[in-house]
Amino acid sequence: MGTTERADRFYDEQVLDRLNPRMRAFVAQQEMFFLATADRHGACDNTFRAGPPGFLHVLDDVTLAYPEYRGNGVHASLGNIEENPHVGILMVDFLRDRIGLHVNGRARSVADDAMRRAHSRLPVDPVPGRRAQVWVVVSVEEAYIHCAKHIPHLQKAPARTTGRPWGTDDAKRKGGDFFGAAAEAPTRTALPPPPRADATTWRAEAEKALARALRHDRALTGAATATETATAPEAFSGWFHRDAPA
């Protein structure tokens, strides 16, 4: 596309490996973000998260955390994160500044009680549907601007109800069959759910993952053997690559 010079300049000037003060202030104002994940095979998923301002917590300049509320039970994002920790978060301010912020990093799930032991200042939300079932902690690897050029300017409308149906299992309040997918179900070939491995297979995969993590830790501490060093996973080097033409 002939944009290599522009891409290099953008990387040099705009891509950070941490959140600077303005980015941290921006995150603290957001009521929603879009979350991109992929499973171990690279099959992608993109979803939406929302909550009161600040529900995406800035723990420090290289760590974010957000609560997973009661949802539809599919847990696609959490499942992907268990298989592949790389995540992409996109926050967009449609209302005031019309600007966006990308955060790419590595995520892990943390139980609510463990999270609160480690971070005692986390608030306890009084709304039952907004109480964390589990937390996702994201280690920031890249943070950069999403330009304002094509971001629409929106305005908040007055609430039409007394409040959002946080945590509800009522199908109608969650949107019902808005796109008509359920109504068409009897006339189409069923789409089977993803295959689920048996306990033995999962245990074997978990043992492989633990062995890889152990080799990586030993390599970082200098305790690895030559064989372990040769097979240790390569450190993450960023989403942008200078040797690839833009």
Side-chain angles (χ1 to χ4, degrees):
M1 295 288 187
T3 63
T4 301
E5 183 179 347
R6 285 166 51 197
D8 282 344
R9 186 168 64 251
F10 179 83
Y11 191 89
D12 288 339
E13 296 178 356
Q14 294 293 338
V15 181
L16 309 182
D17 63 355
R18 61 190 58 245
L19 301 169
N20 67 19
R22 290 189 178 185
M23 289 176 174
R24 295 197 296 270
F26 182 86
V27 172
Q29 296 171 354
Q30 302 312 302
E31 298 180 59
M32 61 181 182
F33 65 85
F34 302 94
L35 175 68
T37 60
D39 67 13
R40 72 182 70 183
H41 304 295
C44 299
D45 182 74
N46 191 278
T47 189
F48 172 79
R49 292 288 183 270
F55 83 106
L56 179 57
H57 297 266
V58 180
L59 301 182
D60 55 50
D61 60 356
V62 293
T63 315
L64 297 174
Y66 65 87
E68 282 284 2
Y69 305 133
R70 178 181 174 83
N72 60 10
V74 175
H75 302 305
S77 299
L78 285 176
N80 283 348
I81 288 169
E82 289 299 314
E83 295 188 359
N84 176 357
H86 295 294
V87 298
I89 290 175
L90 172 61
M91 292 159 271
V92 182
D93 181 351
F94 296 98
L95 305 177
R96 188 180 67 177
D97 296 319
R98 287 179 50 219
I99 205 73
L101 176 64
H102 292 266
V103 174
N104 296 324
R106 297 174 70 92
R108 59 189 175 91
S109 58
V110 179
D112 183 61
D113 56 349
M115 190 69 178
R116 294 188 184 280
R117 284 196 301 270
H119 303 279
S120 58
R121 295 185 179 181
L122 286 174
V124 177
D125 202 304
V127 179
R130 290 203 309 249
R131 291 175 186 168
Q133 293 192 311
V134 68
W135 291 80
V136 175
V137 178
V138 180
S139 298
V140 177
E141 292 177 332
E142 293 180 338
Y144 55 93
I145 190 173
H146 186 99
C147 75
K149 186 165 55 175
H150 299 298
I151 296 177
H153 190 187
L154 307 181
Q155 289 182 314
K156 274 192 174 183
R160 289 182 293 181
T161 63
T162 56
R164 300 179 187 180
W166 293 99
T168 183
D169 286 326
D170 185 302
K172 185 175 181 180
R173 297 186 75 197
K174 291 197 295 185
D177 190 26
F178 185 87
F179 292 104
E184 297 172 356
T187 64
R188 68 171 184 264
T189 302
L191 183 66
R196 292 174 172 83
D198 56 55
T200 302
T201 302
W202 275 116
R203 188 175 298 109
E205 289 294 324
E207 289 173 353
K208 290 179 184 177
L210 288 172
R212 288 196 299 270
L214 179 60
R215 289 199 304 271
H216 184 65
D217 288 343
R218 286 171 60 82
L220 290 177
T221 58
T225 64
T227 301
E228 288 176 332
T229 301
T231 58
E234 183 179 352
F236 181 73
S237 59
W239 300 86
F240 296 91
H241 301 282
R242 292 182 176 281
D243 57 349

